[in-house]
Amino acid sequence: MNDDSDTIRRALQAEARSAPPSRIDWQYVSNRTRRALRRRRQFVASALGVMVIGAGVAGLMLTSGDEPDSDSVAVQETTIPPVTDSTLTVVDTPAARPSTVVGITRDGRLLAIDVATGSVLRELAFEGDPAGEVDGISSFIDHATVDLSRSRVVYSVCCEPAVGQIKVVPLDGGPVEFIADGSGPDMNADNGLMATVSGSGVQLRTPMGTYVRSIEAPPDIAPSLRRVSWTKDGAHLIVESGGPDGASSRLFVVDQTATSFADATELRPPEGHAWSSAAPFAEDRLAVLDAHDSVTDVLIVDRQGQPVSTVDLGGRTPVALSVDSSRTWILVTLYGGGLLAIDDSLTVQEIAYNEVLVTADW
Amino acid sequence: MTSPELPNQSVASTLERLFEDCHDGLMRLAYVLTGDGAQSADLVQDAFVALGTRPKRRWPAPGSEYAYLRMCVINGSRRHWRREAVAGRARRVQRETAFDSVDSVGLDRAGQRRVADAVRGLPRRQRECIVLRYHDEMPIAEIAHALGISEGSVKTCLHRAHRALAEMLGDMR
């Protein structure tokens, strides 16, 4: 093709002119940008420990007009009484404590950590640092979970594109694979479905990321969704949304067969309390971070939001909760560094690792 | 509930102005790279969101915002191709596509589409070099800067791309 340069030029420019009319408008881009900024601020707030030491902030937010407008949300509400002592019924045979934790560091690395020794086994992935200091990269890993097979780590990358990217990396190390758009992934108990947060609600996908169906959230909630977790029986999803401060989370219990949040139940904490980092465990329990009166506790509630018990962490402050894929072992990431394990009889166990993590999972 | 604002008002207005000025051009670039209108819209949206959420101190220098957005679209198109590969739907040159001969005025629609599909069938770096060279009319040095490779690599990629296209489209001479 002697004149191939001209041919290519004319063909590409003609092809460009034949592009279908743009479906995008400024308002849509602007709204997505705001949502992405909100997610970034939530993560940075968590990374800085604002959520933990911010019980006062949470209270402030709840009394300064930031409380969600219940009229605008098509969900049921459950208001609960103050915390009372009661006994958690253990219904499961305890599963073995996982031997490996995956943790996200403040500079954006995804690490595999040996539970017994606290040593870092390997760096699984790095997608950029949350502060955007790495030249040319301003994305970062904001959530990670280990699947039931304990062979794969599924993690999400915020915020380019704004909806996030979900990737998979072998727990033993290996190549990273992009599998879907979305964020905040969690695998259900039989490893058959993955729930993710999308721009319009929750999406259910196969473990390899193939879209299955959606659960649409109301427009005033959808942009703030940041995390979703399966209950042990796989019948419900605990969906968490949050404000830019990282403290004013809202928790919704959604039937996994639903197509929308219309019949969702919102778990409402008592006045002056803020719940976040929900981790469903045992048959019908939920561990949450309960920020109140300048302290943050690990609180156990039932699926209706009724308090069951508080967990004594010996004065240490939690920043994030997660639960293993058997829904037996709660993992507590501590402010200032360190991890704790809580089994479903609420016995607290030390884990050797003492470095600072933003969040962790096992 | 309080909505976070864009980094500040000047950034928001700059982003809106850039959107007005650039989104059509970026759509065309994305379409040439992917051949998929819906994907192109997503790529362009993602590019503006990426710029809008970038920390203010890391915004591109005034005047170079378009280059940043263009790179976002190119990077996004790589994700598009990875997804296509994962789904086993990688676009291939439609060698069997019927087309009319090229006349003295220019390519007909089928020929244009055939060339564009052939370009999309090139390896990633060759595809990007060809598109930036002949769609965006960028000089070699600017392509090298944009893709983070040497000018020699750009020339090599262009040479190989020309040779591959000549093989694929030989019967269009």
Side-chain angles (χ1 to χ4, degrees), chain A residues 15 24 32 41 131-133, chain B residues 4 45-46 57-58 120 137:
Chain A
E15 179 77 354
I24 58 176
R32 282 190 57 192
R41 288 171 189 173
E133 295 296 343
Chain B
Q45 287 164 182
D46 289 345
R57 67 184 182 284
R58 302 199 65 80
R120 293 182 193 118
E137 302 282 6

Side-chain angles (χ1 to χ4, degrees), chain A residues 24-54:
Chain A
I24 58 176
D25 62 55
W26 164 248
Q27 197 56 50
Y28 183 77
V29 169
S30 177
N31 289 341
R32 282 190 57 192
T33 304
R34 286 188 170 87
R35 178 174 178 270
L37 282 171
R38 184 182 292 122
R39 287 186 58 206
R40 184 182 296 278
R41 288 171 189 173
Q42 286 168 355
F43 185 89
V44 172
S46 300
L48 295 175
V50 171
M51 184 168 62
V52 192
I53 60 176

Side-chain angles (χ1 to χ4, degrees), chain A residues 171-352:
Chain A
L171 184 57
D172 292 335
V176 170
E177 181 183 356
F178 169 89
I179 58 171
D181 289 330
S183 60
D186 192 43
M187 310 299 298
N188 72 348
D190 66 5
N191 228 20
L193 277 177
M194 175 173 66
T196 67
V197 172
S198 74
S200 58
V202 174
Q203 290 188 338
L204 302 184
R205 297 176 176 273
T206 67
M208 288 312 297
T210 303
Y211 174 82
V212 177
R213 58 188 173 81
S214 294
I215 303 173
E216 297 295 318
D220 58 330
I221 295 175
S224 302
L225 296 182
R226 62 182 179 191
R227 177 172 158 170
V228 58
S229 305
W230 290 91
T231 55
K232 184 172 183 177
D233 60 8
H236 292 87
L237 294 159
I238 310 299
V239 187
E240 183 169 338
S241 73
D245 57 314
S248 51
S249 292
R250 302 173 69 184
L251 300 177
F252 303 93
V253 182
V254 183
D255 189 314
Q256 71 102 352
T257 62
T259 56
S260 75
F261 275 44
D263 295 321
T265 299
E266 179 171 2
L267 304 180
R268 288 247 176 184
E271 187 173 348
H273 291 239
W275 290 352
S276 63
S277 203
F281 79 108
E283 287 303 319
D284 192 24
R285 295 290 184 263
L286 195 63
V288 297
L289 293 182
D290 177 28
H292 64 95
D293 303 321
S294 299
V295 296
T296 302
D297 293 324
V298 174
L299 174 70
I300 309 300
V301 301
D302 64 21
R303 208 175 293 174
Q304 289 70 48
Q306 203 70 19
V308 174
S309 185
T310 55
V311 181
D312 182 4
L313 300 183
R316 287 164 292 194
T317 304
V319 289
L321 301 178
S322 66
V323 67
D324 75 319
S325 51
S326 75
R327 302 295 188 259
T328 304
W329 291 91
I330 300 169
L331 183 65
V332 183
T333 307
L334 293 172
Y335 179 69
L339 297 165
L340 296 173
I342 304 172
D343 65 19
D344 57 4
S345 65
L346 302 190
T347 302
V348 178
Q349 301 177 10
E350 302 282 344
I351 292 178

Side-chain angles (χ1 to χ4, degrees), chain A residues 76-109:
Chain A
Q76 302 164 12
E77 295 173 6
T78 303
T79 303
I80 65 163
V83 176
T84 56
D85 289 332
S86 63
T87 304
L88 177 70
T89 303
V90 180
V91 294
D92 275 347
T93 303
R97 193 177 77 174
S99 58
T100 309
V101 166
V102 294
I104 302 171
T105 65
R106 290 175 68 169
D107 59 358
R109 293 174 297 140

